[in-house]
Amino acid sequence: SLNKRECKVTETVKTGAVFVDGLGIGDVGNVVMRDRQILSQDGMILILLTMEKGSNRLLAGPDIITRGFIYVKESDELIEEMQTVLEEAFEHLQQKNITDWGKIKTSLKDALSGYVWKKMKRKPMILPVITEVEL
């Protein structure tokens, strides 16, 4: 109860666990929470490419790094299959002379996402990273 002179606790309320994220309560948006849920359930896959500046020629990759998705040491075959899917997708992009990095990233992400879903029924977060090198 609350009046001009005093404030008293007169009742209690049963609650569950209270989680505080960050420096305060409520400072994390829905998108961040969704991303965290995806990461916790299905993990993530990084696709790393190194391309030559100007020509967009592939110099290295695609390399795959996973976190929270599979135990890599026991999944060499799956990683090799995923790299083959990415190599074929990249080759298809080169045949069409697609040089826009946004389209390259989206195409690689879509190709790998489709493969992983068919193979494992999982939807990890897939992050393509392109490094540009001037030779």
Side-chain angles (χ1 to χ4, degrees), residues 4 12-13 19-21 24 29 37-39 57 79 83 94-95 99 105-106 109 121 125:
K4 290 183 180 183
T12 60
V13 177
F19 298 98
V20 178
D21 185 329
Q37 184 175 10
I38 291 168
L39 288 170
R57 184 172 56 105
I79 295 291
Q83 282 181 309
Q94 283 189 319
Q95 289 172 357
T99 58
K105 288 179 178 184
T106 300
K109 182 178 175 179
K121 298 295 186 239
M125 184 176 290

Side-chain angles (χ1 to χ4, degrees), residues 96-113:
K96 290 188 166 191
N97 290 327
I98 295 175
T99 58
D100 178 67
W101 284 16
K103 289 181 182 177
I104 292 170
K105 288 179 178 184
T106 300
S107 295
L108 294 177
K109 182 178 175 179
D110 290 347
L112 190 58
S113 179

Side-chain angles (χ1 to χ4, degrees), residues 4 8-10 16 19 22 24-25 27 29 38-39 44 47 53 56 58 64 67 82 93-94 97 111 114 124 127 135:
K4 290 183 180 183
K8 285 198 269 185
V9 176
T10 58
F19 298 98
I25 297 173
D27 62 345
I38 291 168
L39 288 170
M44 69 181 282
I47 303 169
K53 185 176 183 175
N56 282 344
L58 185 64
I64 296 172
R67 292 293 181 264
M82 292 188 328
L93 292 166
Q94 283 189 319
N97 290 327
L127 301 171
L135 297 178

